[in-house]
Amino acid sequence: LLGLQTVLVGDALARYTIWDGIRALDYLSSRPEVDTARIGVTGNSGGGTHSSYLGSLDDRLAVIAPSCYLTNWRRLLETIGPQDAEQCVPGFISEGLDHPDFVLAAAPKPYMMLVAIRDFFSISGARETFAEVERVYDSIGEAKQFAKFEWDDGHGYLRPRREAAYRWFSRYL
């Protein structure tokens, strides 16, 4: 319902949810017990969406690991179609942007794609996005900073992906 309301006035729900995430980082960064050089973000599904958004838009994040979201628009539209309103930013496709652009905007930060083989977000699209971004990280000499963890299960932040994220965060934070 919120997504429809924003679209009707020519806006995007993502703008508001991204701002909420940035404000949460503002608060987190204001806490005296937080080492602001060691902040990472991860999440699953909608949380994977917002991890991707925040990773590309907020330089305070040192490590990014979205789960069960990144694919590409071609595969998404061939399979399940557009998803929740915050995942469909008006003008995104017409401007030539795609899921790899979220990752590339964060480069060369440590970034791990956490994907499920049997997710409703296309595994083919996730693999294609990984291959595209991997070439860029490699070309800038940062191949070790980009990884994909793939597990044969369905949608959800299940234990294998969580443990891969823990290892990734421990390595860089």
Side-chain angles (χ1 to χ4, degrees):
L1 184 60
L2 288 173
L4 180 57
Q5 292 170 342
T6 58
V7 169
L8 288 173
V9 296
D11 206 349
L13 181 58
R15 185 166 74 91
Y16 299 96
T17 59
I18 291 166
W19 185 245
D20 287 346
I22 290 170
R23 296 305 310 188
L25 286 169
D26 291 345
Y27 174 73
L28 182 66
S29 297
S30 76
R31 302 292 305 164
E33 67 273 17
V34 172
D35 180 349
T36 58
R38 296 175 20 161
I39 299 175
V41 65
T42 189
N44 186 78
S45 192
T49 303
H50 291 286
S51 297
S52 299
Y53 289 163
L54 291 173
S56 66
L57 295 170
D58 199 306
D59 289 334
R60 294 174 291 183
L61 293 168
V63 183
I64 302 105
S67 174
C68 291
Y69 168 65
L70 289 169
T71 182
N72 62 35
W73 275 109
R74 186 178 122 223
R75 298 294 185 181
L76 188 66
L77 294 173
E78 288 174 351
T79 56
I80 58 175
Q83 293 303 294
D84 301 330
E86 74 272 9
Q87 296 175 352
C88 300
V89 178
F92 197 79
I93 296 173
S94 66
E95 292 294 327
L97 298 170
D98 203 343
H99 287 213
D101 296 304
F102 293 125
V103 186
L104 294 172
K109 291 178 186 177
Y111 203 112
M112 177 179 272
M113 291 175 57
L114 302 164
V115 298
I117 292 173
R118 291 178 279 121
D119 196 354
F120 49 81
F121 286 105
S122 169
I123 187 63
S124 297
R127 289 171 177 160
E128 291 164 5
T129 287
F130 178 78
E132 180 178 334
V133 174
E134 183 180 43
R135 286 189 298 273
V136 174
Y137 267 77
D138 187 51
S139 73
I140 62 174
E142 299 289 352
K144 292 180 182 177
Q145 301 275 90
F146 182 60
K148 172 173 59 79
F149 179 82
E150 187 174 298
W151 195 258
D152 188 11
D153 61 5
H155 193 76
Y157 211 164
L158 304 174
R159 185 175 182 165
R161 275 184 295 288
R162 290 194 315 267
E163 289 178 346
Y166 303 153
R167 289 187 299 273
W168 189 250
F169 281 87
S170 292
R171 178 177 173 185
Y172 290 101
L173 299 178

